[in-house]
Amino acid sequence: MTQFNDLNLDKKVLKAVSEAGYETPTPIQAGAIPPALEGRDVLGIAQTGTGKTASFTLPMISMLHRGRARARMPRSLVLCPTRELAAQVAENFDTYAKYSKLTKALLIGGVSFKEQDALIDRGVDVLIATPGRLLDHFERGKLLLTGVQIMVVDEADRMLDMGFIPDIERIFGLTPFTRQTLFFSATMAPEIERITNTFLSAPARIEVARAATTGENIRQGVVHFKPSRRDRADKEKRALLRAMIDGEGESCTNAIIFCNRKIDVDIVAKSLIKHGYNAAPIHGDLDQSQRMKTLDGFREGNVHFLCASDVAARGLDIPAVSHVFNYDVPSHAEDYVHRIGRTGRAGRKGAAVMICSPRDQKYFEAVESLVQMTIPVMENPLGTATEAEVTSPQPEKAPEAKPKRSRSRKKAPEETATAKPAEETATSDAAVPEKKAEPAERKNRGRGRQDNNRDRVVGMGDDAPAFIRLSFSERRSS
Ligand code: AMP
């Protein structure tokens, strides 16, 4: 088995790696580091969680330790699709470069240009950036890319999804033809293939297995959900999510809840908060400082339920997530693999459970065909909608009566910040109207209290005669 010592890395890098606690290189590291150190282009087909960040940062630091940066001319460039991923790469860089005297700058949106300009003016060895922000700096005449010797493109497939490919092509064109390119993508879509054929020169191609989706450490399941009525679908789906969370019991210590749409990320987070769960949203429309704060809160355990969109969560390294809830079946089957790869990391046990609505069926089939397994069907903890519920709905009954043992009633730090402008929530049955419609007795059930009001007769309150209450109870138990 290859050891770090066999890879020709700089001594200072080896020291930092050993202090990080890494014993042996991961397959992408063992495959990508040697050709990168030889100055070759690398095409790494690997996704997050495989150790790919170190597979490009370690050789970069080793190669850059000789030489000095010139003002406004970075010596290397790492392009990342999201601010979070860029910040994470920067963190990794700090860890591995702690004994190497290299300078870096992080160019991401949400941070003032002035601060970033000052860093670039001094000269940086490593520039880590999102494509848009990098081009903004370039266009303001503050940055020259003609000194870039090494260029990394991380998560190219996500760049494609986000429409960044024209920016990437432009940036390639601004760097010297002689640069070395290290290019990473989880998949090789035809457009990605085209880019690599155009901009990489005889790359060493290293492909590592996709994170195990059938791994024994990740328990998977799906609940097929059929709303009792179309206009109640969203509300019932949120009730089902809460029931599924509760159903996981104490083993659910923290979770990422994935929604396909940003608007649902907000609505689901708000609804969970309203029901006493410690939740916060993360998606691309939130400002950078808020996203960072939420993420830190989640890492530190102050936020238990992170409601996320795929883009915001992609590439985030959150070591111990007990559960992933797929509120929606992802419309790109590949995203299922990324989503569930957030749990069960580093040999820990994890669970990934999903809600599948009738309209998700075709996506669900695509997911099963991609992962080549039948995802076990779980019982709907709310039961299936019956005719009676349609005419006399009590959708949040059974699971709400369960006490929420591990749910912190403490409000999430972002609770006040989650309020979204009216226009963003107006298109669906957002949490606000839900609140208005909810009778007090049902809310009490949601708090895990004994429900003394179950047999109250609507409109009669405590004044209902005993014979009516009796027959009501009998009806319920039959
Ligand atoms: P990445 O795929 O770069 O997001 O890395 C996933 C996680 O693996 C990060 O938490 C790294 O700190 C960790 N990691 C990277 N390389 C190694 C290694 N050789 N041994 C153990 N952990 C590693």
Side-chain angles (χ1 to χ4, degrees):
M1 189 189 274
T2 316
Q3 300 298 318
F4 277 111
N5 281 333
D6 307 330
L7 294 178
N8 271 335
L9 288 163
D10 181 60
K11 282 200 301 296
K12 290 176 182 153
V13 173
L14 285 174
K15 189 169 173 208
V17 163
S18 130
E19 281 177 21
Y22 305 167
E23 286 167 8
T24 48
T26 64
I28 186 77
Q29 291 162 3
I33 293 173
L37 285 173
E38 285 167 18
R40 287 184 61 189
D41 283 359
V42 169
L43 171 57
I45 303 164
Q47 62 181 47
T48 188
T50 53
K52 70 174 167 56
T53 317
S55 78
F56 61 80
T57 39
L58 301 183
M60 274 173 78
I61 300 165
S62 293
M63 291 187 282
L64 292 169
H65 88 279
R66 273 185 227 102
R68 273 192 51 192
R70 289 161 58 194
R72 291 192 287 154
M73 290 180 71
R75 298 166 67 207
S76 67
L77 176 62
V78 182
L79 291 174
C80 302
T82 64
R83 300 162 178 189
E84 282 77 15
L85 186 60
Q88 209 166 279
V89 169
E91 246 174 58
N92 275 249
F93 178 84
D94 287 342
T95 307
Y96 308 137
K98 68 198 262 203
Y99 299 112
S100 316
K101 287 194 186 74
L102 294 177
T103 52
K104 70 146 208 300
L106 178 62
L107 299 192
I108 52 177
V111 180
S112 90
F113 277 99
K114 215 170 144 205
E115 251 173 66
Q116 298 179 337
D117 283 345
L119 281 172
I120 298 171
D121 277 348
R122 261 181 265 147
V124 289
D125 297 299
V126 183
L127 190 60
I128 302 162
T130 49
R133 189 63 164 206
L134 181 88
L135 287 171
D136 284 349
H137 277 271
F138 180 78
E139 272 152 20
R140 290 165 76 247
K142 298 286 182 187
L143 183 65
L144 284 169
L145 296 176
T146 44
V148 170
Q149 297 157 26
I150 308 167
M151 172 162 158
V152 177
V153 179
D154 196 12
E155 307 228 343
D157 49 338
R158 188 50 45 162
M159 304 265 198
L160 176 67
D161 291 348
M162 295 172 75
F164 287 155
I165 293 299
D167 286 351
I168 299 294
E169 290 189 77
R170 188 167 164 218
I171 296 166
F172 266 124
L174 298 172
T175 59
F177 179 66
T178 50
R179 64 161 198 272
Q180 177 182 8
T181 308
L182 311 176
F183 191 100
F184 291 81
S185 185
T187 54
M188 286 302 285
E191 184 66 354
I192 303 283
E193 194 89 50
R194 182 186 68 78
I195 298 285
T196 58
N197 290 339
T198 312
F199 296 104
L200 272 63
S201 159
R205 183 181 168 118
I206 298 102
E207 185 160 359
V208 301
R210 124 182 341 137
T213 55
T214 51
E216 280 170 16
N217 57 332
I218 303 178
R219 173 172 57 80
Q220 295 176 68
V222 61
V223 172
H224 290 284
F225 159 67
K226 204 157 177 272
S228 67
R229 245 173 46 181
R230 209 190 296 171
D231 61 345
R232 295 205 186 102
D234 293 341
K235 186 171 156 70
E236 290 181 5
K237 195 171 174 186
R238 293 193 292 272
L240 172 59
L241 172 69
R242 296 195 297 277
M244 286 165 70
I245 292 173
D246 293 349
E248 294 295 318
E250 297 290 349
S251 71
C252 182
T253 52
N254 63 350
I256 305 183
I257 298 162
F258 283 101
C259 303
N260 288 0
R261 303 184 313 158
K262 285 183 238 179
I263 187 168
D264 287 327
V265 170
D266 275 326
I267 294 170
V268 169
K270 256 171 132 178
S271 166
L272 284 172
I273 292 166
K274 196 189 76 173
H275 284 85
Y277 295 77
N278 185 336
I282 186 161
H283 58 69
D285 286 353
L286 299 170
D287 76 49
Q288 177 63 10
S289 62
Q290 201 179 326
R291 283 154 78 180
M292 290 298 198
K293 200 172 127 200
T294 302
L295 213 53
D296 287 345
F298 189 63
R299 282 204 188 99
E300 287 156 15
N302 301 323
V303 172
H304 298 165
F305 297 96
L306 186 70
C307 300
S309 62
D310 289 288
V311 168
R314 186 71 171 267
L316 297 182
D317 180 31
I318 301 160
V321 177
S322 77
H323 282 65
V324 164
F325 291 92
N326 283 308
Y327 184 75
D328 302 300
V329 178
S331 45
H332 297 113
E334 278 288 341
D335 282 334
Y336 181 76
V337 179
H338 291 291
R339 289 179 179 188
I340 78 164
R342 314 272 90 213
T343 184
R345 295 187 126 195
R348 291 186 184 89
K349 287 229 175 294
V353 291
M354 177 156 70
I355 302 176
C356 178
S357 306
R359 65 171 174 227
D360 291 335
Q361 193 55 37
K362 63 176 183 301
Y363 299 137
F364 180 67
E365 283 160 18
V367 165
E368 283 200 325
S369 113
L370 178 75
V371 299
Q372 292 178 358
M373 66 175 277
T374 304
I375 300 173
V377 175
M378 295 160 66
E379 208 175 305
N380 182 336
L382 294 179
T384 31
T386 63
E387 192 105 5
E389 284 170 62
V390 174
T391 48
S392 174
Q394 298 215 347
E396 300 182 7
K397 198 162 58 186
E400 295 294 309
K402 271 183 105 182
K404 291 183 174 69
R405 285 151 300 174
S406 60
R407 309 297 156 243
S408 163
R409 299 291 338 279
K410 203 170 59 178
K411 286 180 193 303
E414 285 72 17
E415 183 159 355
T416 47
T418 53
K420 294 299 286 181
E423 66 270 22
E424 200 172 339
T425 50
T427 51
S428 80
D429 73 336
V432 180
E434 182 184 1
K435 190 173 196 162
K436 282 194 198 123
E438 196 168 39
E441 59 267 34
R442 200 181 297 159
K443 268 169 77 180
N444 286 347
R445 259 180 277 158
R447 299 291 182 260
R449 290 187 203 138
Q450 187 66 39
D451 178 18
N452 296 323
N453 293 323
R454 285 187 146 194
D455 291 355
R456 292 180 108 207
V457 178
V458 176
M460 297 186 96
D462 294 331
D463 300 327
F467 75 92
I468 295 185
R469 271 187 273 167
L470 182 67
S471 60
F472 185 79
S473 303
E474 278 171 349
R475 267 210 317 275
R476 274 168 31 82
S477 59
S478 63

